[in-house]
Amino acid sequence: MADKFDVIVIGAGPGGYVAAIRAAQLGLKTACVEKWQDKQGKVSHGGTCLNVGCIPSKALLETTHKFVEARDDFDELGIVGGDVSMDVKKMMARKDKIVKNLTGGISGLFKSNGVTAIDGTGQVTGNKQVEVTDFDGKKATYEADSIVVAAGSVPVEIPPTPLTEGLIVDSAGALEFQETPKRLGVIGAGVIGLELGSVWNRLGSEVTVLEAMDTFLPMVDGAIAKETQKLLKKQGMDIRLGAKVTGSEVKDEEVVVKYEDADGEQEMTFDKLIVCVGRKPYTQGVIADGVEVELDERGMITVDDQCRTSVPGVYAIGDCVRGPMLAHKASDEGIMVADIVAGQKAEVNYDAIPSVIYTAPEIAWVGITEQEAKDQGFEVKTGNFPFAASGRAMANNATEGSAKVIADAKTDRILGLHIVGQHAGEMIAQGVIAMEFGSSAEDLALTCYAHPTMSEAVHEAALAVDGHAIHMANRKKRK
């Protein structure tokens, strides 16, 4: 029997490594098990987010956005330069360097906080036991008073488009292209599909996005989603809704995709195809047979509001439990569980978790949409403000988009904030903080915002809720 720990965390993604560090900071003897290996075969902490998700995709999005600005917008700003071009291989090398720095940083944080890093695949084999299989197949059993499962998720594969090396790829494969494909197909118009489509669209790919649903971004407020769809179409992305993919065939280094839409059977040919139809919890094999941790029909581990499973002392967090599959949600759950294990009181406010799509402009939201509010029985009032009326947006050459505040007409409590615009991902924190404190639209309206800033759009939208916007004409209230 190996060392006994207070806490063992399975998985070192944004939920797991945060839980482990927090537990160690609270004085608990903590270990974290991770099996992810980098291209050199070394264990790499950070999970999907740092290795093949949030961080590398943002590196590519930021680089390609700057490229488009230099190519298309500098002249309007008075900046005179020569023709610009993109070195895709150099861009990818920079992305890999960022990933290496950050994953190595987590290993350093483990050491500085006293977390024991265990390399291998972890499995809960009993109420207080974790078996770890190392990369040579050797097994070791560890004991812990508390176990935290943070196994994460993996991309969903669909039968019509089986992955084919270098041609039909998932989101991770799309981060490894070494040259720009001329014709790129993307299956799925969700967060990942739109972001990856944007990267290669900016570099010259003819991007077609096939989405089975008839509604574009249903989780975003309808007005903001409609505006976003127009902006992406203007950028050259061909987004086809109600397009259900039925099959694919690889021919001469090309991918022929068949799909059905309102007009019947269709066919398109691409040089590369990215499958982005969602993610599923990675729980297979994480819980041994006989351990009575409950899983639902999707493979998600069943937990209560504080991430306790059906087995005392076993917790689960992040993508392998209910709720949005977001890195920051997983991190918050990791902190909550560590605090609870240490005997403190803690909770996560699941009504105030922000979401961001890092296209250009960015889309960000927190809370519910106007339609959801109405469906839930709220009488609502809303305020909108376009960035086209913002002085800072004009100075930034970023006048596309708008901010929308949704409030309860009876109490004025903020129910949601939805933004499409430059730096929306930064500005959404204002709505998160406001909702965390149960703020009213009037609270935001009475707050002094710095001028000139992009954030003033949120201020004006809050003012507009009651028809008090200053820098635009207010809608006349119905009698």
Side-chain angles (χ1 to χ4, degrees), residues 27-299:
L28 301 173
K29 185 179 180 181
T30 306
C32 188
V33 183
E34 179 54 66
K35 70 170 189 174
W36 196 296
Q37 293 176 285
D38 62 18
K39 296 174 183 177
Q40 287 72 45
K42 295 181 180 179
V43 168
S44 180
H45 298 122
T48 295
C49 177
L50 263 66
N51 286 280
V52 294
C54 318
I55 299 302
S57 64
K58 301 315 164 281
L60 300 187
L61 282 159
E62 186 65 21
T63 299
T64 55
H65 177 55
K66 290 183 184 299
F67 168 69
V68 169
E69 279 193 314
R71 184 190 66 193
D72 300 339
D73 300 335
F74 276 11
D75 184 63
E76 183 177 347
L77 301 177
I79 301 174
V80 179
D83 293 336
V84 294
S85 59
M86 175 60 72
D87 185 332
V88 174
K89 290 183 179 180
K90 190 171 183 179
M91 175 181 72
M92 290 296 180
R94 174 180 177 270
K95 176 260 297 180
D96 291 340
K97 182 179 179 181
I98 292 170
V99 169
K100 184 177 181 180
N101 287 343
L102 287 172
T103 55
I106 293 175
S107 301
L109 289 172
F110 276 179
K111 291 180 181 178
S112 64
N113 284 282
V115 176
T116 300
I118 301 175
D119 298 346
T121 302
Q123 183 184 61
V124 181
T125 54
N127 290 11
K128 295 187 176 183
Q129 291 186 337
V130 172
E131 183 181 82
V132 179
T133 305
D134 69 16
F135 303 122
D136 294 324
K138 296 179 181 178
K139 298 181 184 295
T141 300
Y142 300 85
E143 282 191 358
D145 292 328
S146 299
I147 298 168
V148 183
V149 178
S153 61
V154 293
V156 171
E157 296 182 30
I158 55 176
T161 54
L163 300 186
T164 304
E165 181 72 27
L167 290 173
I168 303 177
V169 301
D170 57 17
S171 55
L175 297 172
E176 297 297 331
F177 293 162
Q178 295 301 308
E179 58 183 25
T180 303
K182 184 176 187 300
R183 300 162 299 177
L184 175 66
V186 179
I187 302 178
V191 176
I192 299 172
L194 294 179
E195 288 185 354
L196 293 174
S198 290
V199 166
W200 298 105
N201 175 61
R202 294 169 189 169
L203 297 182
S205 293
E206 298 170 5
V207 177
T208 302
V209 182
L210 303 175
E211 170 56 53
M213 296 182 66
D214 294 320
T215 306
F216 182 69
L217 293 180
M219 62 288 204
V220 181
D221 188 83
I224 298 296
K226 185 177 181 181
E227 188 171 6
T228 300
Q229 188 175 4
K230 288 182 180 179
L231 291 173
L232 293 177
K233 183 179 180 181
K234 182 181 176 182
Q235 293 173 14
M237 291 181 65
D238 182 2
I239 301 172
R240 305 188 181 190
L241 302 178
K244 183 179 180 181
V245 175
T246 57
S248 65
E249 184 180 0
V250 174
K251 292 182 179 179
D252 301 323
E253 296 300 305
E254 295 180 335
V255 182
V256 180
V257 176
K258 295 181 180 180
Y259 67 95
E260 295 178 353
D261 61 14
D263 296 322
E265 295 184 359
Q266 310 290 341
E267 186 176 289
M268 292 192 73
T269 301
F270 302 106
D271 298 298
K272 305 280 187 184
L273 181 67
I274 307 174
V275 181
C276 299
V277 294
R279 300 181 65 83
K280 62 182 180 180
Y282 183 78
T283 52
Q284 186 175 3
V286 177
I287 310 295
D289 293 339
V291 179
E292 296 180 352
V293 171
E294 293 181 8
L295 279 73
D296 67 15
E297 65 279 359
R298 295 179 56 198

